[in-house]
Amino acid sequence: MSAAPPPVPAPQDPVQPQELLQLGIDPDEPCLRADAARNRARLLEAAALLVAERGADSITMEEVAAAARVGKGTVFRRFGDRTGLLTALLDHSERKFQAAFLTGPPPLGPGAPPAERLRAFGLAMLRRSAEELELQLAAEPEAGRRFTSPPRRVLRHHVTLLLREAVPDADCEVLAHTLMAQLDPALIHHLIRQCGMPPERLESAWLDLVDRVTGPASAR
């Protein structure tokens, strides 16, 4: 006798878009003095240029300080260490991306159907990761914080919200983890750099996955 099918997950409590977690790795940033804010901006700009030129693994705090024309002590006081600097640089990128999917134009931003927004979200994530791959890998959280770091939670929560609109009867929290796994920087690095897959193949696979999850056949 065949096993009984698993029960359909109970409908989840509605979550409004304004409940999305807000990024804020550096909560003191709005209170910075004008000169400190200028130094921070110069340091992040210099670090971004160095990462783009040589990759994140090869840059040092001393090089960033020299490129920004500030003292080495300023870099350490502001970011603590190299990981803190790279995390701040990635946070700056995360803030821009979050603004795009929260308030930007559709289909990435509000105003498009949820499945269309999911497609746009994944494509934007893949393209952003391809451009910032070295930086994202260098700032990758340790295993114990991989799924709880604020940026990851923001992105996964957004995917969960869109899934609840597109497939309300699904277990959207678990499904969001499944979808986000395909956008993991380490996997993107493996597929593009180690397996030689073109980015376009990953983009097509994302569109196919979203269509299979949200299409008519997925309705229960």
Side-chain angles (χ1 to χ4, degrees):
M1 191 167 95
S2 61
V8 175
Q12 295 127 329
D13 294 333
V15 180
Q16 299 301 320
Q18 60 265 31
E19 293 184 39
L20 273 173
L21 297 169
Q22 297 297 314
L23 290 176
I25 292 175
D26 187 356
D28 297 328
E29 183 179 343
C31 304
L32 290 177
R33 301 188 317 272
D35 58 339
R38 284 193 297 270
N39 282 342
R40 185 179 191 277
R42 288 168 61 186
L43 287 166
L44 290 177
E45 181 181 358
L49 289 173
L50 288 171
V51 169
E53 290 174 0
R54 302 205 317 267
D57 289 339
S58 62
I59 68 169
T60 66
M61 301 286 271
E62 291 80 2
E63 289 175 321
V64 172
R69 298 181 181 178
V70 301
K72 181 175 66 174
T74 301
V75 189
F76 284 96
R77 284 194 301 271
R78 191 68 194 88
F79 301 107
D81 55 19
R82 182 175 171 279
T83 299
L85 172 62
L86 294 175
T87 299
L89 186 57
L90 187 60
D91 181 56
H92 180 67
S93 172
E94 291 281 358
R95 289 172 183 270
K96 292 193 296 182
F97 185 62
Q98 186 188 21
F101 67 71
L102 279 178
T103 61
L108 181 58
E116 190 174 340
R117 293 191 68 192
L118 272 174
R119 295 188 195 97
F121 175 84
L123 294 179
M125 279 281 292
L126 288 167
R127 291 164 187 171
R128 174 177 168 238
S129 292
E131 294 173 357
E132 302 176 351
L133 199 48
E134 299 292 340
L135 174 61
Q136 292 195 18
L137 291 176
E140 185 78 3
E142 62 182 10
R145 296 181 56 251
R146 189 169 191 181
F147 300 105
T148 60
S149 65
R152 293 283 178 91
R153 292 172 62 193
V154 169
L155 300 175
R156 188 173 64 249
H157 195 66
H158 178 63
V159 171
T160 302
L161 289 178
L162 295 178
L163 286 170
R164 288 184 184 180
E165 292 185 62
V167 282
D169 292 334
D171 188 338
C172 295
E173 292 184 13
V174 174
L175 190 55
H177 278 280
T178 302
L179 292 181
M180 288 298 296
Q182 190 161 333
L183 304 174
D184 183 77
L187 177 62
I188 294 171
H189 175 269
H190 170 67
L191 295 177
I192 293 179
R193 301 285 178 83
Q194 297 177 331
C195 297
M197 291 186 186
E200 294 79 11
R201 183 174 175 184
L202 274 61
E203 294 177 12
S204 296
W206 171 260
L207 297 177
D208 180 61
L209 177 61
V210 172
D211 288 346
R212 290 175 185 274
V213 168
T214 64
S218 65
R220 298 289 187 268

